[in-house]
Amino acid sequence: MIMANIKQRIIRKGRGAIHAPADFLDIGSRASVDQALSRLADHGTIRRLTRGLYDYPKKSPRFGLLSPSADDIAKAIARKDNQVLQLSPAMAANQLGLSTQVPSKPTYMTDGPTRTKTIGRQVIQFRNASPKTLVGAGQKTGAVFQALRYVGKDRIDDQVIGKLARALDDKDRAQLSKQSKHVPAWMHAIVQQIVGHA
C-alpha cells in the first residue's frame, strides 16, 4: 500500500521531478519509504540518481531517458539535507542576462558544508556561504543580489540596472527593497535605483 501511494504521488508530480525519502514520510516510516523507493527503482518506474535521490525521468523518443537539470538536482539535494540554496554570482549573472558565460561547473552557495556532488555526468559544487550571501535564497531577489556581486560595484551602469529591473515584478521589487538591509552597504543605492526604475 505504501509503495502504491508513493508511486501515485511520483506520477502525479510528473516526469522530470526529483524525489528524496523525506518527501514521503507522511505516507510511512523512513525504513518502509526507503524500501518502497528501492523497489520502484528495481522495477524501472523511477531511477536512482545517488543515495537517497530518485527521479521519474523524462523520456525522449530520440535519446531515451533524459538526465535531470543541475538546478533540479541541486534543489533536491538542498531539500533532502534541509539546507538553504543560492545561485553562485556567475550563475545568477548568466540567468539574468548580464553574462553570456555559462559556468563549466554549476556552483551553489549554501549554509551546509562545501562539497562536490557527482550525479551521472553532472558535477555540482556547493560552497558554504555567510548569511549575508544567502539573503533572498531561492527567490529572484537572491539572484539579483548575486548578480550584483558578479558585476561588482564599480561596473554597475544604467544598462545593468535596467536589465535587473525588467526581471522583477512589483512583488519582487518590494521584497528586494526589504531584503536590501541585510546585504553589503554598497548595494543599497543600487537597489533603490532598481526598485525605482520605470
Side-chain angles (χ1 to χ4, degrees), residues 105-117:
K105 275 195 193 118
T107 302
Y108 296 84
M109 317 317 272
T110 169
D111 57 349
T114 294
R115 58 194 172 146
T116 301
K117 283 276 203 187

Side-chain angles (χ1 to χ4, degrees), residues 14 19 21 39 53 75 88-89 95 117 120 127 148 177 191-192:
H19 305 274
R39 282 210 196 124
L53 275 190
K75 283 177 184 158
S88 68
Q95 249 185 39
K117 283 276 203 187
R127 286 212 186 114
L148 290 175
S177 187
V191 166
Q192 289 319 309

